[in-house]
């Protein structure tokens, strides 16, 4: 009898635990760049779950990059397997809005008593806004910066951070000195970063967008200057055609002196680098005064759920709001080199943090330069990205040496892929 009673109690307890588990609302979540953000969500998830014990965040396999993230969502929309919340590159949001995959966040925002949209950096929030409605809340802000191995820089006579290069011409001059000192790879410039971001950085440096009046602006004087600057850098610094990940590993291993990439890489570099001094500094410009503007990199959280269940949608909104504001956003800065898109996190929560982490403060100083990371319009946006990628790679490999010809070829090829009016 006792044994039967014990069994009954055990079964009842098990059923109660199962019922509690069943009561949880599950939110499916997808994000990109696991090597950058895994550590971030390890910090954020316990905090969210402590505040929301009735919600389970089920994390999917991370997207490889922003292009992969967008392609994955497009496939999942067709197969009926969409997550509820997805982190997408800032320049890929418009496509998901056009396809009717992303849901407007305005109905949720309007119910929040103290939600301030102006707390988010406008250049980023605008990228997630369509016809006056917000579809994406910025999750992480990045800007291009310079990373320097000061042990190697000393071989070129640079020992003081104040002496770090302010122009690309100065970078090329330093490359020559380093090569004379026996440094095989003095510089890597991440031309192959997602979304042609570095090409857009050279255009915005000159205060010119890559897209102008709904047309590609590469055939402008600024477009030619951008291509010529890349050619000068790649040739003058004997830059190898490393993959994005191989370049980061080589820099962390102390094999590259000057590394130009997103501030987002900082946390990963700091965790993996060898025993040498790392200093970050503002992104060089074409003039000593520096860039006029730089593209706002990073990503945004979007509600892409196909569910009609108000309870699930409300749970998804709670998660989306948590990761983009307050403490959730602050953990982005604590664990990566990204900056939170929420001004309160930067100016209040993280005030002391930046004083104690000067390498992470470099990008904060660049925030006044924020410009749009322009999306390519129409159904061929990803194809345009690939055309420009291939064109830049031809400069890296040395296949393309005539920049005016390459300029015209790329202009023509991209024009063929642009929407026809």
């Amino acid at each position: 009898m006792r044994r039967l009673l014990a069994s009954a109690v055990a079964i009842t307890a098990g059923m109660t635990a199962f019922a509690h588990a069943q009561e949880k609302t599950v939110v499916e979540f997808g994000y990109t760049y696991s090597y950058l953000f895994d550590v971030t969500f390890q910090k954020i998830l316990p905090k969210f779950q402590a505040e929301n014990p009735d919600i389970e965040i089920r994390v999917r396999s991370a997207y490889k990059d922003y292009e992969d993230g967008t392609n994955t969502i497009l496939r999942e929309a067709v197969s009926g397997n969409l997550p509820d919340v997805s982190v997408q590159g800032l320049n890929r949001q418009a496509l998901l809005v056009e396809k009717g995959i992303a849901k407007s966040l305005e109905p949720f925002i309007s119910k929040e008593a103290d939600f301030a949209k102006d707390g988010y950096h406008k250049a980023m929030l605008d990228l997630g806004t369509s016809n006056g409605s917000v579809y994406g809340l910025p999750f992480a802000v990045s800007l291009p910066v310079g990373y320097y191995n000061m042990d190697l820089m000393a071989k070129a006579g640079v020992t003081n951070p104040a002496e770090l290069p302010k122009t690309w011409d100065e970078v090329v001059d330093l490359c020559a000195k380093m090569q004379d000192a026996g440094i095989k790879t003095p510089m890597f410039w991440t031309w192959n970063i997602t979304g042609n971001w570095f090409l857009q950085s050279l255009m915005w440096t000159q205060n010119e967008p890559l897209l102008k009046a709904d047309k590609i602006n590469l055939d402008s004087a600024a477009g030619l200057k951008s291509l010529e600057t890349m050619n000068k850098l790649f040739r003058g610094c004997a830059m190898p055609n490393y993959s994005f990940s191989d370049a980061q590993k080589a820099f962390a291993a102390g094999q590259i002196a000057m590394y130009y990439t997103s501030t987002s890489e900082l946390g990963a570099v700091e965790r993996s680098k060898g025993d040498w001094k790392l200093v970050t500094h503002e992104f060089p410009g074409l003039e000593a005064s520096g860039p006029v503007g730089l593209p706002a990199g990073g990503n945004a959280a979007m509600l892409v759920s196909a569910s009609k269940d108000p309870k699930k949608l409300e749970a998804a909104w709670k998660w989306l709001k948590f990761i983009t504001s307050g403490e959730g956003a602050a953990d982005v800065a604590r664990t990566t080199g990204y900056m939170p898109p929420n001004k309160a996190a930067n100016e209040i929560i993280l005030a002391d943090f930046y004083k104690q982490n000067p390498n992470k403060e470099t990008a904060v100083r660049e925030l006044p330069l924020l410009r749009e990371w322009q999306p390519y319009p129409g159904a061929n946006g990803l194809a345009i990205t690939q055309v420009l990628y291939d064109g830049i790679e031809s400069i890296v490999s040395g296949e393309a040496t005539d920049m005016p010809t390459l300029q015209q070829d790329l202009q023509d090829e991209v024009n063929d892929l642009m929407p026809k009016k």
Side-chain angles (χ1 to χ4, degrees):
M1 184 70 180
R2 287 178 182 174
R3 191 175 298 166
L4 288 173
L5 182 59
S7 296
V9 170
I11 291 171
T12 302
M15 290 179 66
T16 302
F18 178 75
H20 285 316
Q22 289 294 93
E23 288 170 8
K24 282 195 174 187
T25 302
V26 175
V27 173
E28 297 274 350
F29 175 59
Y31 66 94
T32 192
Y33 295 126
S34 61
Y35 76 100
L36 293 179
F37 286 118
D38 281 357
V39 65
T40 305
F41 288 110
Q42 287 167 11
K43 292 277 189 183
I44 293 177
L45 271 166
K47 295 178 182 178
F48 178 80
Q49 288 169 341
E51 292 185 18
N52 301 274
D54 58 331
I55 299 173
E56 177 189 343
I57 305 302
R58 192 169 292 166
V59 180
R60 294 189 174 185
S61 297
Y63 315 128
K64 177 186 174 184
D65 53 29
Y66 295 143
E67 283 75 26
D68 178 48
T70 304
N71 276 320
T72 299
I73 289 295
L74 292 173
R75 288 195 303 270
E76 289 171 341
V78 174
S79 65
N81 187 37
L82 283 166
D84 298 301
V85 177
S86 177
V87 172
Q88 294 284 319
L90 289 176
N91 65 329
R92 300 300 178 195
Q93 296 176 89
L95 178 60
L96 300 186
V97 174
E98 290 168 11
K99 295 284 186 182
I101 297 171
K103 284 183 164 64
S104 172
L105 300 178
E106 293 294 339
F108 302 95
I109 293 172
S110 66
K111 295 177 184 177
E112 298 286 336
D114 57 354
F115 191 92
K117 281 191 273 188
D118 59 1
Y120 294 84
H121 291 290
K122 188 175 185 302
M124 300 185 68
L125 191 62
D126 285 352
L127 287 171
T129 302
S130 178
N131 296 322
S133 292
V134 173
Y135 285 84
L137 287 182
F139 171 61
V141 189
S142 63
L143 281 164
V145 297
Y147 293 62
Y148 299 92
N149 180 326
M150 295 306 290
D151 293 26
L152 294 182
M153 295 299 291
K155 295 186 178 183
V158 178
T159 57
N160 187 332
E163 300 169 339
L164 290 170
K166 294 181 175 60
T167 69
W168 296 117
D169 284 341
E170 290 177 9
V171 169
V172 174
D173 290 343
L174 282 170
C175 283
K177 293 178 181 178
M178 288 180 190
Q179 287 171 308
D180 290 343
I183 298 173
K184 183 179 178 182
T185 310
M187 188 276 299
F188 191 84
W189 194 85
T190 49
W191 67 273
N192 44 6
I193 203 167
T194 184
N196 312 133
W197 195 51
F198 261 37
L199 171 59
Q200 292 205 25
S201 76
L202 281 182
M203 292 293 290
W204 279 124
T205 287
Q206 303 167 78
N207 209 29
E208 280 287 328
L210 185 56
L211 288 171
K212 197 171 188 177
D214 295 324
K215 295 180 180 179
I216 193 73
N217 190 30
L218 200 60
D219 61 352
S220 61
L224 182 58
K225 185 69 174 178
S226 296
L227 296 177
E228 288 175 338
T229 299
M230 284 189 272
N231 190 42
K232 182 189 296 184
L233 278 168
F234 303 160
R235 299 284 78 75
C237 294
M239 195 184 86
N241 191 10
Y242 285 152
S243 68
F244 185 77
S245 61
D246 284 346
Q248 190 206 67
K249 290 174 185 174
F251 180 69
Q255 298 168 4
I256 299 174
M258 299 180 287
Y259 182 46
Y260 298 100
T261 191
S262 167
T263 185
S264 64
E265 299 290 309
L266 185 54
V269 169
E270 287 178 332
R271 288 189 291 272
S272 61
K273 81 176 189 68
D275 185 20
W276 48 266
K277 183 179 179 181
L278 169 67
V279 169
T280 67
H281 200 258
E282 279 82 347
F283 201 61
L286 295 171
E287 307 292 338
S289 56
V292 178
L294 290 170
N299 44 62
M302 307 187 80
L303 183 64
V304 296
S305 180
S307 176
K308 304 294 183 184
D309 181 359
K311 188 176 179 182
K312 178 182 275 286
L313 294 175
E314 186 61 34
W317 164 247
K318 283 184 178 180
W319 171 244
L320 193 157
K321 180 178 66 171
F322 189 87
I323 66 176
T324 60
S325 60
E327 274 294 326
D331 277 332
V332 171
R334 294 184 181 117
T335 55
T336 71
Y338 283 103
M339 298 163 289
N342 189 282
K343 292 177 182 176
N346 269 325
E347 296 169 4
I348 301 172
I349 299 173
L350 296 171
D352 292 335
F353 172 81
Y354 285 120
K355 292 175 184 176
Q356 296 161 11
N357 295 271
N359 278 338
K360 291 186 176 181
E361 192 177 20
T362 299
V364 177
R365 294 195 299 270
E366 292 183 337
L367 279 172
L369 302 179
L370 273 182
R371 299 290 191 276
E372 181 185 9
W373 184 12
Q374 294 180 299
Y376 306 128
N380 293 323
L382 291 170
I384 291 170
T385 300
Q386 189 62 47
V387 166
L388 294 172
Y389 179 102
D390 292 342
I392 299 170
E393 186 169 31
S394 71
I395 307 175
V396 179
S397 67
E399 178 185 347
T401 56
D402 183 340
M403 294 303 104
T405 298
L406 178 63
Q407 176 191 33
Q408 192 58 56
D409 289 346
L410 291 176
Q411 179 76 22
D412 293 343
E413 196 168 350
V414 170
N415 275 342
D416 288 342
L417 293 168
M418 294 284 280
K420 304 297 187 289
K421 292 187 177 180

